[in-house]
Amino acid sequence: MITRERMLVAAQFLGIVALLLFTLWVYWPGQYGPPLLDDRGSLTKLETLVENPSRASEYIFEDKSGLLGRSVSMASFVLEKLYWDRGTAGTKLINIGLHLCNGALIVWLFGMLLCHQKIPAYRWFSLLGAAIWLLSPLYVSTVLYMVQRMTILAALFMLTALISYVYWRNAVVSRRFSWHYLVGFGFFAALAIFSKENAAIVLPVAILMEVFWFQGRDSEGGVHRGLHNLSAILLAVGIVGAVGILFYLSDWIQAGYTLRHFSLAERLFTESRILWDYVGQLYMPENLRMGLFHDDVVISSSLFTPISTLYSVVSWALLGVGVLVLCYARIAWTLVFAVSWFLVGHSIESTVLALELYFEHRNYFPGIGLILLLLCLAGMLCKRFIQLTAPILVIFGFYVIWLALQTSSQVQIWSSTPMLRLNHVIHHPDSARANEEMAIQLAGVGAISSALEYSKKSGELDWRERIGDRQLRDLSLYCLANEAVPAQVFDVLGQSNPERPFAIVSTFHGLTKLLQGEDCPSFDRLKLANRLLEIFLSDPQMSRASSNFFTLLASLENDLVRYDHAFDYIQLSLALVPDDSRALLMKLHFATALGKVGVAGEVIEILQKKRDSGTLSNSGMRTLELYLEN
Amino acid sequence: MAALSVLTFGVYSLGFSGALLFDDLPNLASNSSLSLDGTVVDAWRVAALSSNAGITGRPIPMFSFALNSVVSGDISAYGLKLTNTVIHIAIAWLVFFLSRQLLQIDPRRLDDSQIGLIAFASAAIWLLHPLQVSTVLYAVQRMAQLSALFVLLGLLVFVRYRQQWASGGANPGDVLAALLWLGIITALAVYSKENGILLPALILVLELIFFKGQWAGRTILPNKVVVNFMLALAAMAFIGVCFYASDFILAGYTIREFTLEERVLTQLRVLWSYLGWFFLPDVSAMGFQHDDIPLSRGFLDPLTTLLSLAAWLIVLSAGYFYRHRFPLIIFALLFYLVGHSMESGVLALEMVYEHRNYLPIVGFCILTGAGFVVASSRFNINQYISIGCVSAVLLVLMLVRVSAWSDNERLSFVNVENHPDSPRTNFLYAETLWQKYHGASIGSVDQEQSKEQLITARYFFQRAWELDSRSFAALIMLHHIDEQYFPKLGAKEDWLGRLEILLSDRVLQSSDYNAIDSLVACVAEGGCQVDYGRMMSIFEILEKRYPRSVPLLSSYYTYVQASGASDEELEKICNKALLISPANRDFLAKLLSLRIRQGDVGAMYDVVSHWMAADTARRDILHLKALFST
């Protein structure tokens, strides 16, 4: 005989399948969207993998992103490239698939959490909670931004780790200690951290879950003293440890701000506002202003400027007091956990580290806490008044539909390059990046004069950018539009700030990449190279540019087969960073080409030493081997 | 009830072959967003938001129209009318359940079999009444249908909860659950059509008449006081809204040829007319248009205005006086008046439409049903036979009307037969014949018959003008026909001259804009000979009177474009229109076409950017996206 419980399980299973299929349907057009920003830098290098699969391990283990290298994420990209290469669409489809997996994991986790609290209809609440998360428009910019696979994978393993933890602690409170769940927790946590390092927060989230959600209790309410005390001790140690780490790393943290146009205090003030904005965007999304570019966010220069900073800080303070009161009164600790999940989730990227201020993908994992908060409130209400369960579920259902419709329009925007760029610049007119992207879009369709206007505006908005940088970008735009560059553009190039005319290496990098391709055959590369020669080599000074910039100049000259100038540039680059393997290899190449045998020998010696000390990359070693063989 | 439903469906199915009419055309037939294949989620969202009707845009019926379109492959009258019939039957079931629940509130009055019989009779009268045909077979009136469906569902939910509370009281959970359900249903009703907002007011009517503040088996005075207080509050809210929204309400009258006072006074009579049609369903009095009803200019002009007011006061007083003995009388009256309070009150809507009675007559259906059952019992007539007879009569009358509605020409003809003094009915009949003539002249099957149709069409256009000498549309059509087919008559009657006289003081209505459009189209196609200077002087007069009218600018644009105006001139008109209405899709599309023609890609992007910025609901997103993919 089919029991009611079995029917419920079957119905929930069908519900999950329907939800995942519906989410897939909503996201489906998103696969046709373009590669964006960091996608180009991080993923285009994988193009060579197909011809040279032996470099796979190099890409996986020598990735420079983040502190730990994000090897798991890179492995996923490498495997995709090798075995399922469907281009951008394929990468985005995999992201969508992983997002669906995360949704299923959330149903699982929420189900266990809500069941422990004996919330009525917890299966349906967990399903709808996951639906809210899966279909929130705030996550479109994570799911459809290829390189954010790192964030998605980290969330996937964090969720798996938390589920393992819940199984482990349930076994412990039932006096059935289980090593394999604990090992599972550690294993998945490690995978999460090697997907993206800020997954380290999974440990505090697990501790907070035990302290505030489970409170060391079993399903009948009995307290497991050991687990209860252990979690409390770990929480205390964690707090002390976090404070200690902050003190220990204070110099390093401060050093990060030398590259930013805001101070530590300004970041903290601004983040207090941004966090509220994230909350608003998750619960009541305004999808018009959602997107990739939030570099137009107004920086809080003090507690009162803008005045919303004061309101935000006071609101957080009041929330903190509220949390303390709840803790002290020992009521509604589940709410404390949900809020903590969100705040701890943001503790790495939205606090003291000198990262950029605003990114929507930062909410991918922390947002689960906010949804859990909704479920907690609804669950508490339903526990008190069981009659409210059905209407609240219906309201949640309508809320999910509303979010899904917002997401579907957002996905449409993200499925078209011009629409996405237009949307960004319309709703973020003061974003330098949005204006720059619009300039690229317009140049790509041949509208050079409009493109130059956006480029100018972008330059005015970017605090880092010098006139020279804009001039270089304009040259890229001429190339993209395949328009002849007016002579005066070359003449004035680098005239401003002669002591250091260019500040942003990536702009010049973009130009050199374009020139290496076949996008603009009519571009006068020689004229550009000669003008740069005048700027940098008429009176060579190391302070005129960064090491990377000199390397790019050398690369440009290399393309023109002017090895003597390339050699001079690489000398300047090495004068700034003598240990740079890539520059050393380039110097070896130029010296060999110029017949400077002695110099080449010296460089080989240095590179061999580097190889012996293990500081030379695999590709570097392979290149060196070629010279040694000859 | 099931047999009656099948029978009703069968009769209504005879009308499925009828055409789409009047408001169906802009909302459904010409709505490109409803042409979808259903494979893209966002296309559903766009379709649901594609109506400009009402404040909410009525997304629920629009979604249902989209569903029809996907199922049928396009917007077909057949599928739409079939669905409307199904909805009509579903509502009849709600009427059945509601009346049964209401009559069970005081079971001392009637026994169970009588209650069942009255409920059946009420539902049968409502379902079969010929007055409903113009709602069910007028596709766009699904908006009114769905709103009525949700309102009745809400009332049913209220009655079910309230019955329990009246006998056994309620805890806060029950009350909160009921409030949540009613909130959800009210929202659904409002998003179907705005008069769904009357649900709370109708609940008050039920509370006042049937429950009278009963709680836990006792009549508690404070509850009565609360009800009275709430009624007073509702009245105050109504007056408050009138004052608060007085500007909005009065602004509506700027496009009408009657004043607020005239409308309110006329409605006193119109409400009696509706009741007359309900109690004495004379199908010859019913029709699609009722613009032959004379306006009430004052209480004594015509005298029936004063009599109507007096009659309302008398019946309401009588209802109040007999509220304990015959509660259904005051219930029917209040339900009717509250149900009509939005569309037959102060808002500057057209005077008479039959579909406005769709919900308000429910009370009278219950009253009449009860009247028949009780009277049959009193006079020892078999109750089944008496109800059967009433149903049979209504069924025959319904069949007569459905038959008229099954063919557009027949409907127009019947309407003109029944309402010979209605200018709009004459015009619509003439227009039907004119369109038929146009269709036939292509194939030229029977020249003589076609010629006769043309002459008849002209006759009825002239008749429409004779009945309303201020009819723009009739003058334009007469000018068109005489110029093109009867030039000798045209020389005798200067229709355009009459139009020019009207221009100085005629309050332009939406039908007038359509008429101007058709004049422009006729001139542009060369069908009507109007010299350039004369047309320009018409536009000058119109511009002076309506300097901010975008529809007039649109007609002007069409005219000057056809006259060979330069791109600069056309651009100027577009810019002027967009200054008045920045989100106007028509002019954005015109400007975009100009840019595309000019080949100015940068400027094209500017227009799209403007369009996307103005389109905050992203209703045109798919259209714009398609633009980039072509």
Side-chain angles (χ1 to χ4, degrees):
Chain A
M1 201 177 123
I2 301 170
T3 62
R4 184 181 144 77
E5 184 63 17
R6 279 191 174 185
M7 280 180 69
L8 272 174
V9 171
Q12 192 197 20
F13 177 74
L14 287 176
I16 294 169
V17 172
L19 170 66
L20 298 183
L21 287 175
F22 180 67
T23 309
L24 180 64
W25 187 27
V26 169
Y27 267 101
W28 189 258
Q31 64 179 296
Y32 305 111
L36 302 150
L37 272 187
D38 292 350
D39 289 344
R40 296 165 196 148
S42 302
L43 304 182
T44 46
K45 62 185 179 190
L46 296 175
E47 294 299 327
T48 55
L49 253 182
V50 182
E51 292 148 21
N52 196 358
S54 60
R55 297 184 69 183
S57 63
E58 184 187 321
Y59 285 123
I60 294 171
F61 297 110
E62 291 180 15
D63 181 61
K64 300 277 191 303
S65 322
L67 285 174
L68 302 170
R70 304 180 185 176
S71 305
V72 174
S73 302
M74 287 315 293
S76 86
F77 288 122
V78 166
L79 289 173
E80 179 198 331
K81 196 78 200 165
L82 290 176
Y83 301 108
W84 201 74
D85 186 12
R86 302 283 190 280
T88 304
T91 308
K92 294 199 178 201
L93 266 182
I94 291 177
N95 279 16
I96 295 168
L98 290 170
H99 185 58
L100 300 183
C101 292
N102 283 338
L105 290 173
I106 289 173
V107 181
W108 192 354
L109 181 62
F110 279 178
M112 289 194 291
L113 293 178
L114 298 179
C115 178
H116 190 270
Q117 295 296 326
K118 298 192 168 35
I119 303 290
Y122 71 91
R123 291 181 195 282
W124 300 115
F125 275 116
S126 59
L127 182 66
L128 286 166
I132 292 170
W133 184 85
L134 268 171
L135 291 162
S136 169
L138 187 61
Y139 299 134
V140 172
S141 58
T142 311
V143 179
L144 298 181
Y145 185 8
M146 294 192 286
V147 82
Q148 287 310 328
R149 164 98 50 94
M150 297 170 176
T151 306
I152 301 172
L153 272 176
L156 180 106
F157 292 122
M158 280 195 274
L159 287 165
T160 323
L162 288 175
I163 289 168
S164 302
Y165 174 78
V166 177
Y167 274 103
W168 175 76
R169 60 92 48 209
N170 283 349
V172 168
V173 293
S174 311
R175 315 290 165 189
R176 291 182 285 107
F177 190 80
S178 162
W179 277 108
H180 58 272
Y181 286 129
L182 193 59
V183 170
F185 173 73
F187 174 69
F188 289 120
L191 285 179
I193 290 166
F194 283 100
S195 295
K196 193 174 178 181
E197 56 289 344
N198 55 354
I201 52 153
V202 71
L203 190 62
V205 169
I207 295 170
L208 287 164
M209 187 193 285
E210 188 55 54
V211 173
F212 291 108
W213 192 277
F214 294 113
Q215 299 166 38
R217 291 174 198 276
D218 59 23
S219 58
E220 302 307 316
V223 178
H224 185 286
R225 282 283 148 215
L227 191 59
H228 183 266
N229 294 341
L230 178 67
S231 57
I233 290 166
L234 284 175
L235 181 64
V237 169
I239 293 169
V240 173
V243 173
I245 288 170
L246 272 183
F247 272 109
Y248 180 72
L249 294 177
S250 59
D251 288 345
W252 178 74
I253 291 166
Q254 281 289 357
Y257 285 89
T258 53
L259 298 171
R260 298 288 175 199
H261 64 301
F262 46 80
S263 66
L264 172 61
E266 284 173 338
R267 186 171 203 273
L268 289 173
F269 280 138
T270 311
E271 288 299 337
S272 74
R273 284 168 38 232
I274 289 174
L275 283 176
W276 278 121
D277 194 59
Y278 290 151
V279 174
Q281 288 290 57
L282 193 86
Y283 286 142
M284 295 297 289
E286 291 174 42
N287 59 355
L288 289 178
R289 63 184 178 88
M290 281 181 188
L292 211 50
F293 306 127
H294 293 275
D295 50 321
D296 53 347
V297 69
V298 176
I299 291 171
S300 293
S301 53
S302 74
L303 188 59
F304 303 99
T305 319
I307 193 67
S308 52
T309 315
L310 178 68
Y311 305 146
S312 302
V313 171
V314 169
S315 310
W316 283 119
L318 287 175
L319 188 77
V321 171
V323 164
L324 287 175
V325 169
L326 289 178
C327 290
Y328 182 74
R330 301 192 71 82
I331 50 167
W333 275 21
T334 51
L335 300 183
V336 176
F337 169 62
V339 173
S340 309
W341 182 322
F342 176 70
L343 293 177
V344 170
H346 270 291
S347 60
I348 292 182
E349 289 179 305
S350 303
T351 53
V352 294
L353 294 183
L355 304 172
E356 292 198 37
L357 290 167
Y358 193 124
F359 273 114
E360 288 164 9
H361 67 254
R362 289 179 184 164
N363 294 282
Y364 194 73
F365 181 75
I368 301 170
L370 288 183
I371 292 161
L372 188 60
L373 181 68
L374 265 188
L375 299 183
C376 287
L377 289 168
M380 286 163 71
L381 211 58
C382 295
K383 265 174 92 173
R384 176 77 184 80
F385 304 113
I386 189 85
Q387 307 93 319
L388 299 184
T389 309
I392 287 179
L393 284 172
V394 170
I395 290 170
F396 271 36
F398 282 119
Y399 182 49
V400 168
I401 292 170
W402 180 67
L403 289 175
L405 295 179
Q406 307 265 325
T407 301
S408 82
S409 82
Q410 196 69 358
V411 168
Q412 286 296 335
I413 292 280
W414 277 71
S415 66
S416 154
T417 311
M419 295 285 280
L420 182 59
R421 283 173 167 161
L422 275 164
N423 191 65
H424 279 141
V425 83
I426 290 165
H427 300 291
H428 293 276
D430 293 333
S431 155
R433 282 184 181 151
N435 279 281
E436 185 179 354
E437 285 282 310
M438 195 61 218
I440 292 168
Q441 176 65 34
L442 287 163
V445 293
I448 187 67
S449 57
S450 301
L452 292 174
E453 277 175 37
Y454 279 103
S455 171
K456 188 178 171 203
K457 187 167 181 197
S458 172
E460 286 163 0
L461 291 165
D462 192 341
W463 63 277
R464 300 171 306 165
E465 192 169 291
R466 301 183 176 188
I467 289 174
D469 295 310
R470 177 161 66 79
Q471 290 166 336
L472 286 177
R473 185 176 53 237
D474 289 353
L475 287 172
S476 301
L477 296 175
Y478 279 109
C479 173
L480 276 172
N482 203 16
E483 291 261 350
V485 184
Q488 71 270 22
V489 174
F490 284 121
D491 296 342
V492 296
L493 180 66
Q495 277 185 359
S496 304
N497 310 98
E499 69 289 352
R500 196 171 175 112
F502 312 108
I504 305 171
V505 180
S506 60
T507 311
F508 187 46
H509 183 241
L511 176 61
T512 53
K513 291 275 279 182
L514 280 173
L515 295 178
Q516 278 166 0
E518 295 301 316
D519 295 315
C520 46
S522 60
F523 193 96
D524 193 343
R525 291 163 173 75
L526 208 58
K527 204 165 185 179
L528 171 68
N530 287 339
R531 175 66 194 137
L532 292 169
L533 216 59
E534 281 173 32
I535 296 167
F536 291 105
L537 292 185
S538 57
D539 172 23
Q541 281 185 25
M542 288 189 299
S543 59
R544 279 228 175 91
S546 67
S547 159
N548 282 338
F549 202 96
F550 284 126
T551 308
L552 285 171
L553 285 165
S555 176
L556 180 71
E557 290 293 347
N558 179 51
D559 291 342
L560 294 169
V561 204
R562 303 203 306 188
Y563 298 121
D564 48 344
H565 299 315
F567 187 83
D568 293 342
Y569 281 131
I570 212 67
Q571 287 283 65
L572 285 167
S573 172
L574 282 167
L576 285 163
V577 184
D579 202 30
D580 184 349
S581 304
R582 186 168 162 248
L584 283 166
L585 286 164
M586 285 173 79
K587 184 176 175 181
L588 176 59
H589 171 63
F590 302 141
T592 310
L594 291 168
K596 296 183 177 183
V597 183
V599 177
E602 283 168 23
V603 178
I604 287 173
E605 206 173 310
I606 298 168
L607 285 167
Q608 278 175 324
K609 276 183 191 163
K610 279 176 76 73
R611 181 190 60 190
D612 298 342
S613 64
T615 53
L616 194 62
S617 68
N618 286 336
S619 64
M621 281 194 278
R622 273 196 299 272
T623 314
L624 180 61
E625 288 303 321
L626 287 174
Y627 284 97
L628 292 175
E629 280 168 18
N630 298 321
Chain B
M1 263 308 280
L4 194 67
S5 303
V6 173
L7 190 66
T8 306
F9 186 85
V11 173
Y12 267 109
S13 67
L14 302 173
F16 295 166
S17 54
L20 294 177
L21 307 157
F22 214 55
D23 284 351
D24 289 342
L25 303 177
N27 282 295
L28 309 177
S30 313
N31 184 347
S32 59
S33 300
L34 290 178
S35 302
L36 69 166
D37 61 10
T39 55
V40 178
V41 182
D42 211 46
W44 289 94
R45 182 190 65 84
V46 169
L49 297 179
S50 65
S51 170
N52 291 319
I55 301 168
T56 61
R58 304 176 188 176
I60 294 172
M62 291 312 292
F63 176 81
S64 78
F65 292 132
L67 201 61
N68 269 120
S69 173
V70 170
V71 171
S72 313
D74 64 345
I75 281 291
S76 82
Y78 191 93
L80 294 171
K81 293 183 185 204
L82 185 149
T83 312
N84 281 16
T85 305
V86 173
I87 294 170
H88 185 59
I89 292 165
I91 300 172
W93 280 86
L94 287 178
V95 173
F96 173 77
F97 289 122
L98 178 67
S99 40
R100 200 173 63 175
Q101 290 289 132
L102 286 175
L103 296 166
Q104 279 171 346
I105 293 169
D106 191 358
R108 287 168 302 172
R109 291 172 185 270
L110 300 159
D111 59 43
D112 274 355
S113 67
Q114 276 184 314
I115 288 174
L117 216 52
I118 294 172
F120 172 76
S122 312
I125 293 168
W126 188 88
L127 184 65
L128 301 173
H129 205 287
L131 193 59
Q132 311 286 47
V133 173
S134 56
T135 310
V136 180
L137 294 182
Y138 187 5
V140 80
Q141 289 311 330
R142 185 178 303 168
M143 296 169 175
Q145 283 190 299
L146 286 175
S147 173
L149 181 132
F150 289 120
V151 168
L152 288 168
L153 185 67
L155 293 177
L156 195 60
V157 167
F158 170 75
V159 173
R160 286 190 84 100
Y161 270 107
R162 194 62 184 84
Q163 267 180 307
Q164 288 168 14
W165 304 345
S167 56
N171 62 33
D174 289 325
V175 177
L176 276 173
L179 283 175
L180 283 182
W181 280 125
L182 291 173
I184 293 166
I185 295 169
T186 306
L188 291 170
V190 170
Y191 280 99
S192 296
K193 191 174 178 181
E194 294 70 19
N195 49 2
I197 197 70
L198 294 174
L199 174 58
L202 291 170
I203 284 173
L204 275 179
V205 171
L206 296 191
E207 177 64 39
L208 188 71
I209 309 297
F210 293 101
F211 296 104
K212 301 166 193 164
Q214 277 195 338
W215 194 268
R218 289 181 300 145
T219 303
I220 303 166
L221 185 64
N223 267 9
K224 262 187 167 176
V225 171
V226 166
V227 172
N228 290 332
F229 171 74
M230 285 167 85
L231 275 177
L233 202 69
M236 278 163 61
F238 179 73
I239 294 165
V241 166
C242 288
F243 274 104
Y244 181 71
S246 58
D247 287 345
F248 164 75
I249 292 165
L250 287 172
Y253 286 89
T254 55
I255 59 157
R256 297 288 175 204
E257 292 223 287
F258 48 79
T259 63
L260 171 61
E261 293 77 12
E262 285 169 349
R263 185 171 202 273
V264 173
L265 290 175
T266 309
Q267 289 305 317
L268 290 170
R269 288 167 35 236
V270 169
L271 288 171
W272 278 117
S273 297
Y274 292 149
L275 272 187
W277 298 336
F278 173 74
F279 283 111
L280 294 168
D282 172 12
V283 289
S284 67
M286 295 174 195
F288 188 53
Q289 301 287 347
H290 293 273
D291 54 327
D292 48 351
I293 189 161
L295 284 182
S296 290
R297 308 277 180 198
F299 279 107
L300 302 176
D301 178 17
L303 183 62
T304 47
T305 313
L306 184 62
L307 295 177
S308 297
L309 176 64
W312 279 120
L313 292 175
I314 290 166
V315 294
L316 281 169
S317 305
Y320 183 75
F321 188 74
Y322 289 110
R323 69 188 185 281
H324 297 302
R325 208 168 151 198
F326 304 116
L328 285 182
I329 295 177
I330 188 72
F331 161 68
L333 283 167
L334 287 181
F335 196 96
Y336 179 72
L337 292 177
V338 170
H340 266 293
S341 59
M342 264 184 92
E343 289 178 304
S344 304
V346 294
L347 294 180
L349 306 173
E350 295 205 31
M351 282 293 177
V352 187
Y353 269 116
E354 289 169 9
H355 68 254
R356 290 178 186 162
N357 293 283
Y358 196 69
L359 175 70
I361 59 166
V362 166
F364 279 111
C365 289
I366 298 173
L367 174 66
T368 316
F372 272 109
V373 172
V374 172
S376 306
S377 161
R378 181 75 51 88
F379 297 110
N380 285 328
I381 302 168
N382 186 310
Q383 292 165 335
Y384 294 97
I385 292 177
S386 77
I387 293 169
C389 288
V390 173
S391 302
V393 170
L394 290 176
L395 189 71
V396 171
L397 294 171
M398 183 177 86
L399 183 63
V400 172
R401 280 207 89 191
V402 168
S403 155
W405 277 73
S406 64
D407 176 76
N408 194 22
E409 190 180 342
R410 195 184 307 162
L411 176 64
S412 306
F413 179 72
V414 169
N415 284 335
V416 93
E417 285 274 293
N418 293 340
H419 292 272
D421 295 334
S422 155
R424 199 178 276 177
T425 301
N426 279 279
F427 183 85
L428 287 176
Y429 181 50
E431 198 177 40
T432 307
L433 293 172
W434 164 249
Q435 279 165 359
K436 201 170 174 192
Y437 166 76
H438 251 281
S441 64
I442 297 164
S444 310
V445 179
D446 188 337
Q447 289 291 330
E448 276 308 306
Q449 199 185 340
S450 288
K451 214 169 182 181
E452 204 178 304
Q453 271 168 353
L454 179 65
I455 292 165
T456 318
R458 192 197 174 282
Y459 168 78
F460 280 100
F461 277 131
Q462 185 155 356
R463 175 94 185 111
W465 171 71
E466 282 162 5
L467 289 166
D468 177 11
S469 59
R470 295 172 67 77
S471 167
F472 247 50
L475 283 170
I476 286 172
M477 287 312 295
L478 284 165
H479 172 77
H480 184 171
I481 292 177
D482 285 0
E483 277 286 324
Q484 204 167 355
Y485 302 99
F486 308 107
K488 285 181 187 168
L489 283 175
K492 214 161 71 179
E493 284 285 359
D494 183 10
W495 301 117
L496 213 55
R498 292 179 189 277
L499 187 85
E500 283 165 335
I501 296 166
L502 266 185
L503 286 177
S504 59
D505 65 343
R506 161 84 174 172
V507 179
L508 288 192
Q509 297 171 32
S510 51
S511 58
D512 297 337
Y513 292 111
N514 293 339
I516 294 167
D517 265 348
S518 66
L519 174 68
V520 167
C522 177
V523 174
E525 287 161 14
C528 309
Q529 299 298 317
V530 185
D531 68 68
Y532 183 77
R534 199 168 183 190
M535 276 303 285
M536 292 307 279
S537 92
I538 289 175
F539 280 119
E540 266 172 39
I541 296 167
L542 287 171
E543 203 210 345
K544 265 185 200 157
R545 288 195 56 210
Y546 297 97
R548 294 180 62 79
S549 167
V550 178
L552 283 177
L553 280 171
S554 179
S555 303
Y556 180 59
Y557 182 96
T558 312
Y559 179 70
V560 295
Q561 188 183 33
S563 309
S566 67
D567 281 3
E568 264 176 43
E569 279 177 85
L570 295 174
E571 196 179 317
K572 217 182 268 178
I573 303 168
C574 290
N575 289 333
K576 187 175 175 184
L578 291 172
L579 212 60
I580 298 164
S581 171
N584 189 284
R585 305 158 96 183
D586 179 31
F587 272 103
L588 284 163
K590 284 184 165 89
L591 191 58
L592 191 58
S593 305
L594 274 176
R595 299 295 188 224
I596 291 169
R597 198 168 67 218
Q598 291 159 352
D600 187 344
V601 183
M604 193 190 95
Y605 267 81
D606 283 345
V607 178
V608 177
S609 169
H610 178 96
W611 194 332
M612 282 179 71
D615 180 25
T616 51
R618 290 182 172 167
R619 283 166 36 159
D620 300 324
I621 185 175
L622 297 174
H623 176 66
L624 291 171
K625 191 181 154 190
L627 194 76
F628 286 114
S629 57
T630 50

